[in-house]
Amino acid sequence: MTLAVRYTSARTLDIAPIETSAPGPGEVELAPAYVGICGTDLHIFHGDMDARVSTPAVLGHEMSGRVVRVGPDVEGWRPGDAVTVMPLRWDDSCPACRSGHQHICRNLDFIGIDSPGAMQQRWTVPAATLVRLPGSLPLDRAALVEPTAVAVHDVGRAGVRDGEKMVVVGGGPVGVLIALVGRATGADVRVVELSAHRRLLAEQLGLIAWDPADVDVPDLVRDWTGDAGADVAFEVSGAAGGVDTAVEVLGVRGRLCLVAIHPKPREINLHRFFWRELTLVGARLYDRSDFEQAVSLVADGTIPAERLISKVVSLAEAPSAFEALEAAGDVMKILVECGDEQRGDQA
């Protein structure tokens, strides 16, 4: 038996024992060390994904931990190895998979949403999902590899190049990570964010952040770019106003990368797309190369993961952490500690 954080119904989580078994062929049993709570987890908590999530559901897909046991036919892994998980299983037969885009498989199993996630003391996953972590990388920081991989994929999908002007609309965890990855790519970056706390953190990380309630963002972009407009914008806010801002700041042949999940259709200024020959790009999840690059960026400090961690709570405190994240204004990333790394529970 192992303890797990389970979603049972809208706004209801419990901590309950669940059955465990030895890993089967091709599987590995992990001891999760830290699991991040992300926006998708909050959507599940609110009951917005009940049509997709089977209850009781063990949550969590942003994680780090160590191998405990390996199943038959598993090679290259041994107990004690530090790992994270790329939480995707695909069918390898649908049109998306056959075209090489397995991460958007039509029948994708997103582990932690469609199947049990990492917010438990022991977790069995396919060995193929493991991504190795350097031994020098603290496991709390390594829990931010998954959202960093999202940012790496987004910046890659948008085709950000050295010297380009880049605007990120929404300065939450993923927005800040996109800004940091874009900066590392060589872009000149501006972040648009309503929360004073998040703007301050962005500024402490060396980014320039604007308050859209206090300034005219399109005017500032025109001044900044010599009236040319931004080369690329990322919509990470999930708000209708964020969409408007992201479109408005773009210059001729600018690219808009849609990152946020919008729960309902949004109006968009298509005339602007016609008039300036804009491009809209969707970005969803990541592939293994994105994950491996994210590991490097977190490990070498390009992504200062420790600065983005607002709080670490125990497994028993996870339900209250979800409630704390709803306020969101003064919180970036909360991690759930599933074991005691100092005592060696993860080995």
Side-chain angles (χ1 to χ4, degrees):
M1 302 289 283
T2 185
L3 288 178
V5 178
R6 306 186 311 169
Y7 168 76
T8 57
S9 61
R11 301 188 59 79
T12 305
L13 300 173
D14 68 13
I15 312 296
I18 60 174
E19 293 288 341
T20 59
S21 58
E27 293 183 333
V28 174
E29 182 182 25
L30 305 178
Y34 297 93
V35 181
I37 303 173
C38 84
T40 302
D41 297 322
L42 280 179
H43 284 305
I44 295 173
F45 176 63
H46 293 153
D48 297 336
M49 298 177 66
D50 282 358
R52 177 176 174 183
V53 174
S54 299
T55 56
V58 181
L59 304 183
H61 58 271
E62 302 179 359
M63 66 79 63
S64 63
R66 295 189 185 276
V67 173
V68 176
R69 292 188 288 178
V70 299
D73 304 323
V74 173
E75 297 181 354
W77 299 103
R78 62 182 184 180
D81 285 345
V83 298
T84 185
V85 167
M86 188 176 79
L88 308 179
R89 282 188 289 216
W90 46 81
D91 64 14
D92 244 350
S93 62
C94 76
C97 289
R98 293 199 305 270
S99 65
H101 305 301
Q102 289 91 342
H103 68 288
I104 48 175
C105 171
R106 289 186 179 179
N107 301 301
L108 187 69
D109 173 5
F110 192 113
I111 305 172
I113 300 175
D114 304 307
S115 57
M119 215 168 284
Q120 53 182 303
Q121 293 171 319
R122 293 292 185 268
W123 187 37
T124 297
V125 296
T129 65
L130 300 186
V131 178
R132 192 177 302 276
L133 297 172
S136 59
L137 179 59
L139 290 183
D140 56 348
R141 301 179 190 183
L144 273 76
V145 164
E146 193 273 353
T148 300
V150 171
V152 169
H153 185 76
D154 297 342
V155 170
R157 280 287 291 154
V160 176
R161 296 183 290 271
D162 185 23
E164 289 194 313
K165 306 291 187 184
M166 172 176 149
V167 177
V168 179
V169 181
V174 171
V176 168
L177 288 169
I178 289 171
L180 292 171
V181 174
R183 183 175 68 182
T185 306
D188 189 3
V189 183
R190 300 294 184 270
V191 176
V192 179
E193 170 57 43
L194 283 166
S195 163
H197 174 83
R198 289 178 168 180
R199 286 197 311 275
L200 177 60
L201 177 59
E203 290 164 356
Q204 290 172 341
L205 296 174
L207 300 165
I208 296 174
W210 294 330
D211 180 1
D214 187 52
V215 298
D216 187 311
V217 172
D219 274 353
L220 284 179
V221 171
R222 283 188 285 271
D223 291 342
W224 168 44
T225 62
D227 203 34
D231 299 293
V232 59
F234 293 83
E235 204 309 280
V236 201
S237 72
V243 176
D244 293 340
T245 298
V247 173
E248 184 68 20
V249 300
L250 288 171
V252 169
R253 292 205 166 181
R255 290 106 61 202
L256 170 59
C257 184
L258 181 62
V259 178
I261 299 174
H262 289 259
K264 60 183 179 181
R266 301 292 191 192
E267 290 187 4
I268 190 166
N269 185 353
L270 290 179
H271 184 268
R272 189 81 166 187
F273 275 77
F274 159 76
W275 199 250
R276 294 197 170 185
E277 292 196 349
L278 304 181
T279 298
L280 174 62
V281 176
R284 177 185 170 199
L285 299 175
Y286 30 64
D287 59 26
R288 181 162 286 270
S289 65
D290 297 322
F291 242 83
E292 291 170 348
Q293 184 179 347
V295 170
S296 297
L297 291 172
V298 174
D300 70 14
T302 300
I303 301 299
E306 71 281 2
R307 303 287 299 278
L308 300 177
I309 299 170
S310 302
K311 189 177 183 181
V312 178
V313 303
S314 68
L315 200 69
E317 296 172 306
S320 60
F322 274 75
E323 295 174 1
L325 268 175
E326 288 184 289
D330 61 351
V331 175
M332 286 294 278
K333 180 62 65 177
I334 295 180
L335 302 184
V336 177
E337 187 174 10
C338 297
D340 188 340
E341 177 71 5
Q342 297 303 315
R343 285 205 315 262
D345 288 357
Q346 308 309 315

